[in-house]
Amino acid sequence: MLFDPKHEQYLGRLEAELRGARSLTPELMSDVIAEGCARFAPHAGPAKLKIERLIGVRAWTDAALALIAFELPQWKLRRILYEDGGWHCSLSRQPQLPMGLDEVAEGSHEALPLAVLIALLQALRDHAGRGSGVTGVPQVNIVPGYAICCDNFA
């Protein structure tokens, strides 16, 4: 996805709208999908139907998590935490890394589905700003087997 300043403004406006909302509504979820999720609208398939069904029955948290998996499959849920009367959600590209080394997208709100959607918008903003898939920390494939220390302690 190429960097688009208008898209960045839409995401910022959507995030402000989510932060100001008391609860998630079908209209608000529709705005997030229409203005923030470029892959969702043109796609037809079982994943889209699943998300639409979850929205239809107002399973907001499940719908938000399914939307993350659909829109940004390289991002994974790293942590959901309830603290001081609010939900905190962290998404990560490399959840196996320590928190200090990882680039995370975070959202917080009194309502869990809104915290998850705010984190999604942060991840979308990060994804749009990069343009390419290059991360600050190189990805390392985990290989099963034995680790060998090659340091010279002499």
Side-chain angles (χ1 to χ4, degrees), residues 84-95:
D84 298 329
W87 289 97
H88 306 278
C89 176
S90 299
L91 302 176
S92 171
R93 283 184 174 204
Q94 298 178 3

Side-chain angles (χ1 to χ4, degrees), residues 55-147:
I55 292 169
V57 297
R58 293 186 181 355
W60 299 123
T61 303
D62 291 336
L65 292 171
L67 193 58
I68 290 169
F70 181 80
E71 189 67 24
L72 293 172
Q74 69 275 19
W75 288 82
K76 304 294 179 217
L77 180 65
R78 183 175 180 112
R79 178 172 40 180
I80 293 180
L81 173 71
Y82 184 77
E83 186 176 60
D84 298 329
W87 289 97
H88 306 278
C89 176
S90 299
L91 302 176
S92 171
R93 283 184 174 204
Q94 298 178 3
Q96 69 275 12
L97 289 177
M99 274 298 259
L101 298 176
D102 194 13
E103 296 178 29
V104 295
E106 297 179 321
S108 59
H109 197 276
E110 292 172 355
L112 177 58
L114 290 170
V116 173
L117 287 175
I118 290 169
L120 169 65
L121 293 178
Q122 288 287 328
L124 286 168
R125 185 178 289 167
D126 182 55
H127 182 71
R130 285 176 194 272
S132 67
V134 178
T135 60
V137 178
Q139 293 188 6
V140 177
N141 292 332
I142 298 172
V143 178
Y146 297 99

Side-chain angles (χ1 to χ4, degrees), residues 18 21-32 55 58-61 63-64 109 111-117:
L18 289 175
R22 296 183 56 80
S23 64
L24 194 53
T25 62
E27 295 80 20
L28 194 52
M29 186 65 141
S30 176
D31 287 347
V32 170
I55 292 169
R58 293 186 181 355
W60 299 123
T61 303
H109 197 276
L112 177 58
L114 290 170
V116 173
L117 287 175

